[in-house]
C-alpha cells in the first residue's frame, strides 16, 4: 500500500525499518507479480479496484 500511496523507496525503507536493498527487492517482486513497470501504473491499478 505504501507504493500505491506514492511513497518512495527511501520512505518505505525508513517506515518499515528495513534496508533500502531489501525494500528495492520487494518492490521489484511486487512490480513483476502485478505486471507493472512504473509506480504510476501501480497507483492506477490500485485505484481501479478501490
Amino acid at each position: 500500500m505504501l507504493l500505491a500511496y506514492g511513497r518512495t523507496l527511501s520512505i518505505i525503507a525508513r517506515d518499515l525499518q528495513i534496508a533500502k536493498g531489501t525494500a528495492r527487492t520487494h518492490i521489484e517482486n511486487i512490480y513483476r507479480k502485478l505486471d507493472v513497470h512504473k509506480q504510476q501504473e501501480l497507483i492506477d491499478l490500485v485505484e481501479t479496484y478501490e
Side-chain angles (χ1 to χ4, degrees):
M1 287 309 298
L2 294 173
L3 281 173
Y5 288 133
R7 302 298 188 269
T8 63
L9 172 73
S10 296
I11 299 298
I12 292 170
R14 183 197 69 199
D15 289 353
L16 297 178
Q17 298 179 348
I18 59 177
K20 286 183 182 178
T22 302
R24 181 178 297 111
T25 299
H26 286 294
I27 290 169
E28 289 170 357
N29 288 334
I30 290 167
Y31 284 4
R32 186 177 348 90
K33 288 178 182 181
L34 295 176
D35 194 31
V36 297
H37 301 95
K38 297 180 184 178
Q39 188 172 14
Q40 186 60 49
E41 290 178 20
L42 175 65
I43 293 169
D44 293 341
L45 180 66
V46 170
E47 285 180 351
T48 61
Y49 287 104
E50 288 185 330

